[in-house]
Amino acid sequence: MAYDDVRSRGSAGGTHGREDHRYAYHDHESAADLTTTLVHALADVMGRDVTEIEWRLADSIDPDALDRVFSPPGSGTAGGDCHVAFVVEGYRVTVYGNGEIVITPPERPPR
């Protein structure tokens, strides 16, 4: 896999004071695109097999643009100190230039 494991970590005063963020990491040196890592991490947090997900990342964000913004260092694009946040099926996703992906589940899981 292109990400470490998706792990739960509480953070005091996090999003709305909740402590249920999930963390994954994308290795920019890997052959996998960031969006591939992201889809696998989201599926894992949602408790679904990646082959059985019913949503498309493109319904929430442009996957090609996301890959370009966070392309590997030395590729001529920025990404190091920036982050992008968006929502997929009620899950808040924040992607950081250092490869960290933070996923916050909705207060109530989608049906």
Side-chain angles (χ1 to χ4, degrees):
M1 272 290 135
Y3 66 94
D4 292 337
D5 58 339
V6 174
R7 55 198 180 279
S8 180
R9 185 170 14 150
S11 61
T15 306
H16 304 293
R18 295 174 35 221
E19 297 184 4
D20 58 354
H21 306 293
R22 307 301 193 281
Y23 294 78
Y25 181 79
H26 174 72
D27 180 0
H28 290 294
E29 302 296 321
S30 75
D33 291 329
L34 169 64
T35 50
T36 301
T37 302
L38 179 59
V39 168
H40 281 265
L42 270 166
D44 191 37
V45 169
M46 291 175 174
R48 299 181 187 158
D49 185 279
V50 73
T51 61
E52 298 173 355
I53 56 176
E54 298 175 0
W55 48 266
R56 294 176 350 116
L57 188 59
D59 291 339
S60 299
I61 194 165
D62 181 336
D64 293 330
L66 190 63
D67 282 332
R68 280 192 307 273
V69 167
F70 294 106
S71 58
S75 64
T77 60
D81 291 336
C82 69
H83 71 274
V84 174
F86 52 96
V87 176
V88 176
E89 293 289 304
Y91 291 76
R92 181 169 172 77
V93 178
T94 306
V95 179
Y96 294 90
N98 67 356
E100 186 173 46
I101 300 168
V102 180
I103 302 170
T104 305
E107 292 196 26
R108 290 187 204 155
R111 294 178 188 190

